[in-house]
Every structure is written in structure tokens, then in C-alpha cells.
Amino acid sequence: MAISSDNDPEPTTTVVVTIRIPCGADGDLVTDAEERLSRPEDIDTVTVDDLHGIAPKLSATTITVGITIRWTTTMTDAQVRRRLAEVPGLESIERIG
């Protein structure tokens, strides 16, 4: 008989990324970043924890943020990188973990 536990932590990853948000986006920078970063497969939710930098440009604003990703399944760092590489406007992944 399998034993399950409610004490198992949910699969989460903390990451620092730089993402480009187009000018005229519908929401604020944080909301738009969370929406864009939550698009890849297997991501349940994304929460921006820290804003590390803002760099306004002519057609977009580049922001560096610390995020927490809650996954629908456990992910390795390599899988996290591959999933985040799918995000439109992602410029870099500075740190995982």
C-alpha cells in the first residue's frame, strides 16, 4: 500500500531573470512579467519576489526580477532553463536556486 504525505513540499524553483516588456503592455511591469513567465508547459504559477533593475528602452522596458516558480511536476535545473527559454522576451537567466 502506498503512503502519501501532505508534508511533501510543492515543486518550486527560485530564479533571477531579465525579461523585456513591450511598451504599452496591458498591466504593470510585474503583472506582465508574471503572465509572460507563466506561459511555458508545466508551470502552475509565477510570483515576482524582487525587482532587481529597470532599464527603459524605446520600444520596451527590460527588468531583472527574482521569481518563484511553482511547477506541476519536479524539474531539474536543465529543464527549468529549457522551459524558460520558451518565454517571449526573456533575455537571460542569471541564477537558478
Side-chain angles (χ1 to χ4, degrees):
M1 178 172 140
I3 299 174
S4 63
S5 170
D6 291 338
N7 295 330
D8 291 337
E10 294 188 13
T12 60
T13 307
T14 56
V15 187
V16 176
V17 298
T18 300
I19 187 168
R20 190 175 358 90
I21 307 298
C23 292
D26 292 337
D28 58 65
L29 292 174
V30 170
T31 302
D32 199 49
E34 288 174 342
E35 288 174 6
R36 288 172 177 274
L37 291 163
S38 66
R39 290 180 184 167
E41 184 180 350
D42 296 322
I43 292 180
D44 186 28
T45 58
V46 173
T47 304
V48 172
D49 302 317
D50 300 303
L51 182 61
H52 295 272
I54 299 175
K57 309 283 185 189
L58 290 176
S59 62
T61 299
T62 303
I63 62 172
T64 302
V65 290
I67 61 172
T68 299
I69 303 170
R70 191 169 116 205
W71 300 95
T72 59
T73 186
T74 303
M75 293 287 189
T76 65
D77 286 358
Q79 290 171 314
V80 170
R81 285 187 186 281
R82 281 195 299 275
R83 291 298 194 281
L84 290 177
E86 301 170 8
V87 174
L90 185 76
E91 294 198 349
S92 68
I93 300 170
E94 298 184 17
R95 184 180 68 232
I96 297 176

